[in-house]
Amino acid sequence: MILFIHGFGSCGWGEKSLQLRRHFGVERVLAPDLPFHPDRAMVTLRGLLRRHPVDALVGSSLGGFYATCLNAATRLPAVLINPVVRPHELLADHLGAQTRWCDGAAFDVGADFLPALARLQRKQLAADERYLVLLQQGDEVLDFRRAEAFYAGKDVLSMPGGSHRFEGFAHHLPRIADWLRLSDERYDKEHQTTL
């Protein structure tokens, strides 16, 4: 099962999760609406991992950051779409009242929001973490070079053009499916025990 993790001000039932469901099957994709606060979002995500047979993560923007946080302990293969690195710095200009773009729900980015994100920030990745990082260099929100640097050594595909929404996501679904399959095969081969 794939756990899709949406970004800041987004919803679980966005275009990317719908495309994932069409490609992998509705029963294979879990895409919840997350609580707005980072601490509560992480509690929700960890609870979902305990209750469901999740074997892969797909995170978009802030969801990519959350997937990376989860992988400090889970080591699940993760596909990150224009992931944010150091969101506590990026979102410093977004304090106060906000509206979720997908359904108009109001939420507040309070003073404790940024420190919560800063506490979740990882300094580096472990060698055995598996990531496919999809970046579009035309991202108007994030500097793709920060993600290129942070995820260096992982499978990073950096493409010219595009936007933060990640144009043409559906065209990358076969690549994602192949990467997840190959990632599992490599992991199984590396962790086979000899009798």
Side-chain angles (χ1 to χ4, degrees), residues 33-114:
D33 287 347
L34 294 176
F36 302 119
H37 193 277
D39 290 339
R40 291 192 295 280
M42 289 301 293
V43 167
T44 298
L45 291 167
R46 289 181 181 120
L48 290 168
L49 291 179
R50 284 192 301 273
R51 293 191 308 276
H52 297 278
V54 173
D55 52 23
L57 305 172
V58 176
S60 178
S61 189
L62 186 61
F65 173 78
Y66 288 150
T68 304
C69 295
L70 291 171
N71 260 347
T74 63
R75 299 298 201 266
L76 291 169
V79 178
L80 311 181
I81 306 152
N82 285 339
V84 63
V85 176
R86 302 185 68 77
H88 57 286
E89 296 173 358
L90 180 72
L91 294 173
D93 294 333
H94 293 80
L95 293 176
Q98 304 289 328
T99 303
R100 198 160 68 173
W101 67 266
C102 54
D103 62 3
F107 67 102
D108 189 69
V109 178
D112 62 337
F113 194 92
L114 300 180

